[in-house]
């Protein structure tokens, strides 16, 4: 689970300024009942460490973070094993997901892992690495937002926290924040009523639960729990919960 963990006064000030600019967010935040309000500000419902995702460590010259690994000739991201990719695509196809769903799901898991790694870096001792990683995460965040993987308020908070590491000058930081707000609201309209807010939240949660199901399946060490049938079952359970409005 990715949570908003920063405590620096600079970050808090950036977030406060960002939320204040969008008066409509107050209405949205009051009515939204989606998962992003569990335990404060929750940026992901996925609790799995996703150890099988290929994520290199942090070297002396800075963070090794690759949010866009090469794509193989068959359309598979190179950080996913061929067998896993085929099982994932088949499982998603069986529940009627579009062809690009597998790539988006893997990208979400990859981004979540990178965000967790960034948050784990010490704010003072590893400030340089944090800045580099924050810049990479910030550059990729618009794609994640456009895919509906984070809610409006989450997107604002995540962008603000990353910007706080990327830019320490207050004037330039505020300018970046305004630019980020414009990017977010261009692809995630402020909900006009409770129904629209809940609908957006459900779509976001649906993607997260699929990503979590795949991550948990990948991390299984018991071969009997890591069969194609098990992943298909997990994806079907998520689909049924969505259709039943269980979240």
């Amino acid at each position: 689970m990715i949570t908003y963990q920063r405590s620096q006064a600079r970050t808090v000030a950036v977030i406060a300024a960002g939320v204040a600019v969008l008066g409509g967010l107050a209405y949205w935040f009051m009515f939204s009942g989606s998962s992003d309000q569990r335990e404060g500000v929750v940026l992901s419902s996925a609790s799995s460490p996703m150890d099988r995702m290929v994520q290199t460590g942090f070297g002396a010259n800075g963070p090794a973070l690759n949010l866009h690994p090469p794509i193989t000739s068959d359309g598979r991201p190179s950080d996913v094993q061929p067998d896993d990719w085929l099982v994932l695509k088949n499982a998603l196809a069986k529940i009627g997901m579009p062809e690009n769903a597998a790539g988006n799901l893997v990208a979400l898991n990859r981004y979540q892992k990178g965000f967790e790694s960034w948050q784990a870096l010490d704010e003072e001792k590893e400030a340089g690495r944090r800045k580099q990683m924050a810049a990479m995460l910030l550059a990729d965040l618009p794609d994640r937002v456009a895919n509906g993987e984070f809610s409006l308020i989450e997107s604002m908070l995540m962008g603000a926290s990353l910007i706080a590491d990327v830019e320490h000058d207050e004037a330039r930081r505020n300018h970046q924040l305004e630019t980020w707000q414009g990017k977010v609201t261009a692809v995630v309209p402020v909900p006009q009523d409770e129904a629209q807010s809940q609908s957006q939240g459900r779509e976001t949660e649906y993607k997260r639960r699929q990503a979590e199901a795949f991550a948990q399946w990948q991390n299984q060490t018991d071969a009997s729990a890591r069969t194609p049938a098990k992943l298909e079952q997990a994806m079907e359970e998520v689909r049924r919960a969505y259709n039943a409005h269980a979240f």
Side-chain angles (χ1 to χ4, degrees):
M1 177 181 293
I2 301 176
T3 58
Y4 176 73
Q5 300 171 342
R6 301 295 307 282
S7 60
Q8 289 184 342
R10 181 180 69 248
T11 308
V12 174
V14 172
I15 291 175
V19 174
V21 170
L22 293 176
L25 280 177
Y27 178 87
W28 179 90
F29 194 74
M30 285 190 295
F31 283 101
S32 176
S34 61
S35 64
D36 51 55
Q37 295 188 42
R38 297 189 302 255
E39 300 183 18
V41 178
V42 179
L43 303 183
S44 170
S45 64
S47 57
S48 169
M50 294 171 276
D51 293 335
R52 289 182 59 85
M53 301 298 290
V54 177
Q55 294 288 343
T56 54
F58 302 102
N61 296 324
L65 176 63
N66 185 5
L67 296 175
H68 296 280
I71 303 298
T72 62
S73 59
D74 61 351
R76 172 180 58 86
S78 59
D79 60 347
V80 181
Q81 296 299 318
D83 289 346
D84 289 359
W85 179 247
L86 182 60
V87 171
L88 174 61
K89 289 186 66 177
N90 288 340
L92 292 174
K94 287 191 174 183
I95 59 172
M97 296 300 294
E99 188 172 345
N100 64 343
N104 289 339
L105 185 153
V106 168
L108 173 56
N109 276 350
R110 188 185 303 119
Y111 190 89
Q112 290 173 329
K113 182 65 175 179
F115 199 94
E116 289 174 347
S117 298
W118 166 73
Q119 286 189 316
L121 294 175
D122 187 270
E123 295 182 8
E124 296 182 359
K125 296 179 181 180
E126 299 175 289
R129 297 182 185 183
R130 284 187 65 99
K131 182 175 181 178
Q132 291 178 13
M133 284 193 68
M136 296 175 191
L137 290 164
L138 186 62
D140 194 58
L141 188 52
D143 288 341
R144 310 276 62 80
V145 174
N147 285 338
E149 296 162 7
F150 299 109
S151 70
L152 179 60
I153 190 68
E154 289 171 342
S155 303
M156 290 294 182
L157 293 173
M158 293 172 71
S161 61
L162 292 168
I163 289 170
D165 264 9
V166 171
E167 183 54 71
H168 293 177
D169 179 81
E170 183 176 1
R172 290 195 295 266
R173 188 172 64 239
N174 289 339
H175 176 71
Q176 286 196 34
L177 179 60
E178 292 177 2
T179 301
W180 172 243
Q181 290 168 343
K183 288 181 178 180
V184 172
T185 54
V187 295
V188 186
V190 176
Q192 299 302 306
D193 52 38
E194 182 178 2
Q196 187 179 5
S197 172
Q198 291 180 346
S199 177
Q200 288 184 5
R202 290 185 66 243
E203 294 299 325
T204 296
E205 183 68 7
Y206 189 29
K207 292 179 175 68
R208 288 183 182 162
R209 294 196 181 196
Q210 289 178 329
E212 181 179 3
F214 180 55
Q216 290 179 342
W217 178 82
Q218 281 192 305
N219 289 330
Q220 292 290 343
T221 57
D222 182 356
S224 64
R226 208 174 182 282
T227 64
K230 289 295 185 180
L231 182 60
E232 292 171 8
Q233 178 184 354
M235 290 297 182
E236 174 62 18
E237 289 175 355
V238 173
R239 185 191 68 83
R240 289 180 178 177
Y242 173 77
N243 288 342
H245 289 254
F247 54 82

